[in-house]
Amino acid sequence: MTRTAFTNVRIFDGSGADTYLGDVLVEGKRIVQVTRLPERVSTDDARVIEGRGRFLMPGMTEAHTHFSWNDQPSLAAIQFMPPEEHMLWCVRVAKRYLDMGWTSAIGAAAAKPRLDVVLRNAIDAGEFPGPRYLAGSQEITTIGALGDNTLPHMKFEELSFGSVCSGPEEIRRSARTFIKYGVDHLKINLSGEYIAGLPAEMSPFAEEEVAMLAQEAKRYGKRMAAHARSSESVKQCVRHGIEMVYHASFADEEALDMLEAAKDKHFVAPGIGWLIRTTYHAAEFGITEAVATQMGYKRELEIASASLRAMHQRGIRILPGGDYGFAWMPHGTNANDLQYFVDYIGMTPAEALRAATQLGGQIMQRPDELGLLKAGYLADIVLVDGNPLENLALLTDPAKIQLVMKDGAIHKDCATPVPDDAALHLGGTSSPLVEEGVKEALAEML
Ligand SMILES: [Zn+2]
C-alpha cells in the first residue's frame, strides 16, 4: 500500500481548533496517523513531503457549484453553448477546482440535463481528475420563473436553461426524469433572481408543487437543493425538508427560527460572492455599482449580510461557494468566499476554514470520514505555502496551493522538486497522474 508522510507541517485539522506542528501519515486512501511534535510518524517505505512548517489542511468542499457555467458575462452564453463543447468545458473546470484545493463539490444545477451526471461518473471512474462530486439536475422551474428562457421557436429540450414545469404532475415527471438520468439531488428554483429580470423576493411555486418534489425525492432516496432568496422560499425549504438552501438572503425572523429549529438537517450556502462581485466587481462587463444597485443587488447584499450574521450566531451551518463561473467571478476563485464570510457574516478565519472543510464533509454526507485531518479519515489534503488563517486570500492563488491530494493520491505537487529525468519526459509537469500514465504506456510498449 502506498504511504505518504507529511512531516513538520502546521496542522489545521478542520475542526476550527488551534493549529500545531506535527506529522501526518497517509496509507492507501486514508490518513492513518496524525502526530504533534516532538512525536513523529514512521517514514519507513513512505514518500516524504517535507513540510518545513507549511500549512496542512483538509481539502475544501464547494457547496454550490455550477461546473457548466462557462465564465462568460451572461446566462444566455451558458444556455446556448453546444452540448459537445459544454461537456468538455465541464471536464476542464473540474480539474481547475481540484488544482485549487477543492477536493469535493456539490453540483447545484447543470445547464443541460446530463452534464453533471456524466461528469461525476467520469471522475468516479478515474477517467478525468476532479473533486468528489455530487451531481445535480437542471434547475426545475415554473413558467416565467428563473430558468424559463424558452421561446415558442425553441424546439430542443436541451436549449432550455431549466426544466419548466407547471403543476404537481409536471414536477413529478421532471423529478423522475432527472432521477432516471442518475442525479444525486434535485434542484428547484423557489425564488427569483435580479439578473434574470425577476425580483429576488418572488416565490413562484405553489405549496403542492414543492410537496410533490419532496415526495418523489423521498421515494427515490434523493436529496434536494433550492435557489431560495425570498423569505417564503426559505420556509418552503424547511417545511418540505429541502436540505441544501442556497442564498436565503431575505430570511425573516420566522424563517430564521425555522432554520434554527432544524439546523442539524439544513445547510445554507449563500453564494455571497455573487452579491458582492456583481455589485462591486462587474463594471467591466456593464454592471457598474449604480446598475447593480438599480437591479437590487446592493440592497440584497445588505439584507443578506444581516440575516447571515444572525444565522451564524444561531449555529446554522453556512458553507462557502456559490455561482462562480461568470466573467466577474470565474471558476477557481471560489476561496474569495472565505474572506467574504469574515467581512460580511462575522466569522473568524478559523470558522470560515472549518466551514470549507469539516462542514464540507457533512454536506457531502460523509461526516465520519471527510473534512478533517484525523486518523481514519479519507486523505483529501491540501498543503499551502503561508498561513491562510492570517491571509485567506492565499487560497485563491494557484502558486500557494502547493500540493493537493485526493483519496490518498497526489493530484498536484509543486511542493517537491521534480527529478531531472521526469521533467525531461513530462515537459516539466510533476503530476503523478501523468507519470502513472506514462509508465503504463511504456509498460505496454515493452
Ligand atoms: Zn446557483
Side-chain angles (χ1 to χ4, degrees), residues 10-69:
R10 177 156 296 284
I11 295 172
F12 175 82
D13 72 1
S15 72
D18 289 346
T19 63
Y20 57 91
L21 286 173
D23 294 348
V24 172
L25 182 65
V26 172
E27 218 173 77
K29 291 179 173 217
R30 292 190 188 265
I31 298 164
V32 290
Q33 195 184 3
V34 179
T35 66
R36 188 184 288 259
L37 295 187
E39 194 196 341
R40 311 303 304 256
V41 299
S42 154
T43 54
D44 292 351
D45 307 324
R47 173 174 178 177
V48 177
I49 313 284
E50 305 268 6
R52 300 191 302 277
R54 280 174 293 180
F55 194 90
L56 198 77
M57 58 181 275
M60 298 184 287
T61 295
E62 224 281 9
H64 175 174
T65 61
H66 302 281
F67 284 2
S68 49
W69 282 199

Side-chain angles (χ1 to χ4, degrees), residues 310-331:
M311 282 180 217
H312 179 53
Q313 281 159 12
R314 289 167 180 245
I316 294 161
R317 293 174 290 184
I318 301 173
L319 280 74
D323 290 329
Y324 284 82
F326 282 89
W328 52 94
M329 46 188 297
H331 291 294

Side-chain angles (χ1 to χ4, degrees), residues 35-348:
T35 66
R36 188 184 288 259
L37 295 187
E39 194 196 341
R40 311 303 304 256
V41 299
S42 154
T43 54
D44 292 351
D45 307 324
R47 173 174 178 177
V48 177
I49 313 284
E50 305 268 6
R52 300 191 302 277
R54 280 174 293 180
F55 194 90
L56 198 77
M57 58 181 275
M60 298 184 287
T61 295
E62 224 281 9
H64 175 174
T65 61
H66 302 281
F67 284 2
S68 49
W69 282 199
N70 58 8
D71 286 351
Q72 296 293 308
S74 75
L75 289 167
I78 304 168
Q79 183 181 1
F80 293 110
M81 193 175 200
E84 298 83 354
E85 281 85 352
H86 221 156
M87 191 68 244
L88 289 175
W89 168 265
C90 292
V91 167
R92 290 201 300 274
V93 163
K95 176 176 179 292
R96 203 189 297 177
Y97 276 79
L98 197 52
D99 287 345
M100 293 303 293
W102 300 95
T103 49
S104 294
I106 303 276
K112 295 182 174 68
R114 295 175 64 247
L115 288 176
D116 257 19
V117 165
V118 171
L119 180 66
R120 177 203 60 202
N121 293 348
I123 293 171
D124 284 352
E127 292 165 8
F128 299 102
R132 299 172 190 282
Y133 194 57
L134 295 180
S137 63
Q138 270 179 296
E139 298 178 341
I140 295 172
T141 188
T142 189
I143 296 169
L146 174 65
D148 175 11
N149 309 60
T150 55
L151 291 167
H153 66 271
M154 289 182 180
K155 295 281 190 286
F156 302 103
E157 192 197 358
E158 65 263 30
L159 289 181
S160 168
F161 199 95
S163 170
V164 185
C165 304
S166 186
E169 277 310 317
E170 289 188 15
I171 297 269
R172 192 203 301 268
R173 182 171 189 86
S174 180
R176 288 184 178 177
T177 303
F178 289 121
I179 290 166
K180 176 180 92 168
Y181 294 154
V183 300
D184 293 296
H185 46 263
L186 298 161
K187 166 79 181 290
I188 186 165
N189 286 350
L190 293 180
S191 79
E193 173 75 51
Y194 294 123
I195 205 165
L198 299 161
E201 289 168 272
M202 77 185 263
S203 308
F205 275 104
E207 202 66 8
E208 66 264 30
E209 293 173 315
V210 189
M212 176 62 88
L213 185 83
Q215 179 189 310
E216 292 305 305
K218 189 174 176 199
R219 186 195 317 285
Y220 291 94
K222 302 293 179 184
R223 291 200 291 175
M224 293 172 288
H227 174 91
R229 295 192 180 277
S230 68
S231 193
E232 170 59 18
S233 64
V234 173
K235 293 173 197 173
Q236 285 181 317
C237 287
V238 180
R239 281 201 295 273
H240 297 285
I242 298 176
E243 281 178 38
M244 294 175 281
V245 183
Y246 293 146
H247 312 303
S249 309
F250 292 96
D252 64 11
E253 204 63 19
E254 187 189 12
L256 293 175
D257 288 345
M258 289 169 73
L259 272 178
E260 185 180 359
K263 67 183 176 188
D264 292 340
K265 173 163 194 172
H266 294 279
F267 301 90
V268 174
I272 196 165
W274 168 256
L275 298 178
I276 296 162
R277 299 204 68 82
T278 307
T279 303
Y280 297 115
H281 302 277
E284 194 187 327
F285 305 96
I287 307 176
T288 59
E289 188 179 334
V291 170
T293 304
Q294 197 182 17
M295 288 166 95
Y297 281 121
K298 196 171 187 180
R299 172 175 166 267
E300 182 174 351
L301 175 58
E302 284 164 11
I303 292 171
S305 174
S307 46
L308 290 163
R309 277 175 196 272
M311 282 180 217
H312 179 53
Q313 281 159 12
R314 289 167 180 245
I316 294 161
R317 293 174 290 184
I318 301 173
L319 280 74
D323 290 329
Y324 284 82
F326 282 89
W328 52 94
M329 46 188 297
H331 291 294
T333 60
N334 313 53
N336 275 322
D337 267 36
L338 301 175
Q339 186 63 44
Y340 297 152
F341 277 13
V342 173
D343 296 342
Y344 287 85
I345 306 181
M347 288 191 191
T348 64

